Amino acid sequence: MRDPKSLSHTRWDCKYHIVFIPKKRRKLIFGAPRKHLGEVFHELARQKGVVIEQGHLMSDHAHMCLNIPAKFSVSNFMGFMKSKSAISIARQFKGRQKNVNGEAFWARGYYVSTVGLDEKMIKEYIRNQEK
């Protein structure tokens, strides 16, 4: 393994390329919400022990290369990250404080692929999204 992480009985190197979009692919990720989402994503990843290897937010989608611990499924982590970030956006930019479920920000699905040996190429692709 290149750089394995470990728990008491497990060693892993699980990296995923993930792309997800706002509902109806609306161009909502710009300016202050873009900066806020970057901070929120890093905080949420830290809470679960996930490392954001590379990430880029476009106006209508987000690309990330994530190193997710083997104890979490990709769908478990993405559900956590999308729901908590949507709630944070609703509180910060839509003026809602209570009973916020954030269901109107992210679309339901996402794209995921394992990184494997193409890690360098995928990180380059994410880094050069705007070009």
Side-chain angles (χ1 to χ4, degrees):
M1 292 184 158
R2 294 178 305 258
D3 182 26
K5 310 294 186 263
S6 65
L7 292 169
S8 60
H9 299 286
T10 310
R11 293 177 67 77
W12 77 88
D13 188 23
C14 303
K15 293 183 182 163
Y16 303 95
H17 176 213
I18 299 175
V19 182
F20 52 102
I21 62 172
K23 272 205 175 180
K24 300 178 184 174
R25 200 150 181 141
R26 292 177 288 176
K27 297 183 185 295
L28 298 172
I29 308 171
F30 60 90
R34 181 178 180 176
K35 184 174 192 262
H36 178 73
L37 276 175
E39 294 167 359
V40 168
F41 287 155
H42 281 280
E43 175 59 25
L44 293 172
R46 187 192 60 72
Q47 288 177 16
K48 294 287 186 178
V50 172
V51 176
I52 299 176
E53 301 275 338
Q54 187 76 40
H56 192 77
L57 294 170
M58 300 293 288
S59 63
D60 64 345
H61 65 283
H63 279 270
M64 291 185 178
C65 182
L66 301 176
N67 192 335
I68 301 175
K71 64 182 178 179
F72 297 119
S73 68
V74 176
S75 63
N76 181 312
F77 178 72
M78 287 306 296
F80 169 76
M81 186 155 68
K82 286 170 64 175
S83 66
K84 297 298 183 187
S85 64
I87 290 169
S88 179
I89 286 289
R91 286 182 177 163
Q92 188 76 19
F93 297 101
K94 295 183 180 178
R96 299 181 187 155
Q97 293 301 318
K98 292 186 177 179
N99 298 328
V100 178
N101 58 10
E103 63 187 33
F105 194 80
W106 297 114
R108 286 181 61 193
Y110 56 91
Y111 165 82
V112 62
S113 69
T114 55
V115 171
L117 300 176
D118 299 327
E119 179 179 357
K120 188 174 181 181
M121 180 185 71
I122 289 172
K123 285 183 179 180
E124 183 76 20
Y125 171 75
I126 292 170
R127 192 173 20 258
N128 295 320
Q129 274 296 297
E130 292 192 49
K131 294 180 182 173

